[in-house]
Amino acid sequence: MNIHSEATARQQRAPVRHFLSDADLSADELREVLDLAASVKADRGRFRRVLQDRSIVMLFEKPSLRTRMTFELAAAQLGGFAVFQDHRDGRIGQREPAPDISRNLDRWFDAIVARTFSQKTLELLAKWSSVPVINALSESFHPCQALADYLTLLERFGSFDGLKLAYVGDANNVAHSLLHCGPQLGVSVSICGPAAYGPRPDDLVKARQVAERNGCTVEVGEDIRQAVQGAAAVYTDVWTSMGWEAETQQRRIAFADYKVDSAVMRLAEKRAVFMHCLPAQRGAEVTNAVIESPQSVVFDQAENRLHAHKAILIKMMEDNHGQAS
Ligand code: CP
Ligand code: NVA
């Protein structure tokens, strides 16, 4: 049997659910995961054995503070454990093909959490894995971040009804996950930045279709005032993401008019929060005054990474291995 038919056979035997992008969860499932995250946050003791004897492996091609710490802690606090495999010195596939890596790891671990330069690497890992693969950030999406972000908004505002999130700056991985997740939950999303750095057209079409179904909107433009007006959340991220460092100087020029400062925050709703996935470049995409202001919820977002990761681990284990104990 050649490796392609073997992959097909494995998939036929045991269809595996992965979390490679926000679209891998339905709107109901997203809400279910957010509810679960709120429950594990409220009652840690109740969930302390749900992943007993379960293990996850974490393959990271890029640096991380929050994602690594919170996945490791999430596994431990749920009764399982995590093993970290540092791929910063050699990308996944360099020493050994991704299909081989998956077919080793899935014999030992119950889930693979991977941070990669390319979404295609995640897809390849997933194609060959009989255990769930979870996207811990790629160049295209950061779905685990979006879970924590929308949990933070839910806590702050009590419901998603009528909320608008304005994303200012580079339509990067974080922006694309916010773009997909928000409309599923009924949150309107407005992305503003230079046209050359806007969202991918296909993703935009899909997000707009979901928004239409859910009675909210998706807007894209270059006018920061228009984007931020009426927003309950103003979100930004670095102008140069990991992997794009060679473009730092040209991006600094391109995004110069898209800094979130106090004047921008005043254009949003009075109750608006400031959001950032971190790490932030203070003085570039956001001023120190804004990120340190009472409106800033950046450390709530960071805290919620832990609870969101617990919820997605439980959900993926239940969907793929049956009831978590
Ligand atoms: N927000 C986020 O993913 O942070 P890390 O890169 O530190 O994991
Ligand atoms: N957009 C950033 C997010 C870091 C958490 C990056 O990809 O570097």
Side-chain angles (χ1 to χ4, degrees):
M1 191 186 292
N2 69 31
I3 62 169
H4 295 292
S5 54
E6 189 191 322
T8 310
R10 283 164 70 81
Q11 291 292 334
Q12 282 168 352
R13 271 205 305 275
V16 184
R17 289 202 69 187
H18 304 285
F19 187 48
L20 305 186
S21 83
D22 312 80
D24 287 333
L25 294 181
S26 69
D28 285 346
E29 286 175 322
L30 266 178
R31 286 181 187 272
E32 178 198 327
V33 169
L34 294 184
D35 285 349
L36 184 56
S39 300
V40 296
K41 184 172 181 176
D43 187 357
R44 183 170 141 191
R46 198 176 121 212
F47 295 89
R48 72 178 190 280
R49 290 191 208 285
V50 276
L51 294 193
Q52 195 160 25
D53 299 327
R54 299 273 168 86
S55 55
I56 64 168
V57 60
M58 304 183 28
L59 309 179
F60 277 45
E61 293 185 328
K62 298 174 180 177
S64 171
L65 173 70
R66 281 147 290 273
T67 311
R68 176 180 177 178
M69 293 299 113
T70 52
F71 263 113
E72 291 197 14
L73 196 55
Q77 290 184 351
L78 295 173
F81 59 93
V83 175
F84 187 77
Q85 165 85 338
D86 193 345
H87 269 282
R88 278 176 301 167
D89 290 334
R91 292 195 187 178
I92 294 165
Q94 202 168 304
R95 178 169 180 260
E96 188 167 5
D100 284 5
I101 295 177
S102 281
R103 288 178 296 171
N104 278 266
L105 296 175
D106 70 2
R107 300 292 176 106
W108 308 318
F109 293 96
D110 299 294
I112 299 171
V113 176
R115 170 168 285 200
T116 59
F117 280 93
S118 165
Q119 184 75 10
K120 287 200 170 18
T121 305
L122 289 173
E123 286 165 7
L124 199 54
L125 287 169
K127 180 175 175 186
W128 288 92
S129 174
S130 60
V131 298
V133 175
I134 296 173
N135 180 352
L137 180 148
S138 70
E139 93 291 16
S140 300
F141 301 107
H142 197 358
C144 295
Q145 177 71 52
L147 291 177
D149 296 338
Y150 284 106
L151 176 64
T152 305
L153 285 179
L154 190 57
E155 286 175 342
R156 175 60 70 130
F157 297 113
S159 107
F160 293 122
D161 291 350
L163 290 191
K164 171 181 170 182
L165 179 147
Y167 180 93
V168 178
D170 183 25
N172 58 17
N173 41 13
V174 171
H176 276 84
S177 282
L178 293 168
L179 176 66
H180 281 292
C181 218
Q184 294 253 58
L185 297 165
V187 177
S188 293
V189 175
S190 181
I191 295 188
C192 76
Y197 297 91
R200 298 182 291 271
D202 286 358
D203 289 82
L204 196 51
V205 168
K206 283 182 200 147
R208 283 194 163 132
Q209 285 167 349
V210 174
E212 202 167 317
R213 279 206 301 275
N214 291 337
C216 54
T217 59
V218 166
E219 290 165 357
V220 176
E222 293 185 85
D223 186 341
I224 192 166
R225 300 179 69 89
Q226 200 178 321
V228 167
Q229 202 171 37
V234 179
Y235 200 123
T236 190
D237 185 14
V238 290
W239 294 335
T240 304
S241 286
M242 294 180 280
W244 276 269
E245 289 81 1
E247 297 180 7
T248 302
Q249 191 48 32
Q250 84 189 53
R251 284 169 172 268
R252 220 173 261 154
I253 296 165
F255 289 105
D257 293 334
Y258 293 94
K259 185 193 296 289
V260 177
D261 58 16
S262 304
V264 168
M265 288 306 296
R266 277 196 292 277
L267 297 171
E269 280 188 357
K270 219 177 165 55
R271 61 174 180 159
V273 292
F274 169 74
M275 304 183 82
H276 195 304
C277 57
L278 302 178
Q281 292 282 321
R282 287 169 162 82
E285 76 273 6
V286 58
T287 60
N288 192 57
V290 167
I291 200 167
E292 296 294 346
S293 72
Q295 284 176 289
S296 174
V297 294
V298 298
F299 300 112
D300 296 332
Q301 294 171 256
E303 180 189 341
N304 282 336
R305 298 295 302 277
L306 175 64
H307 311 296
H309 293 174
K310 286 182 180 175
I312 196 68
L313 283 175
I314 295 171
K315 167 81 179 151
M316 289 288 119
M317 298 282 182
E318 281 181 353
D319 284 4
N320 290 289
H321 304 288
Q323 194 69 34
S325 46

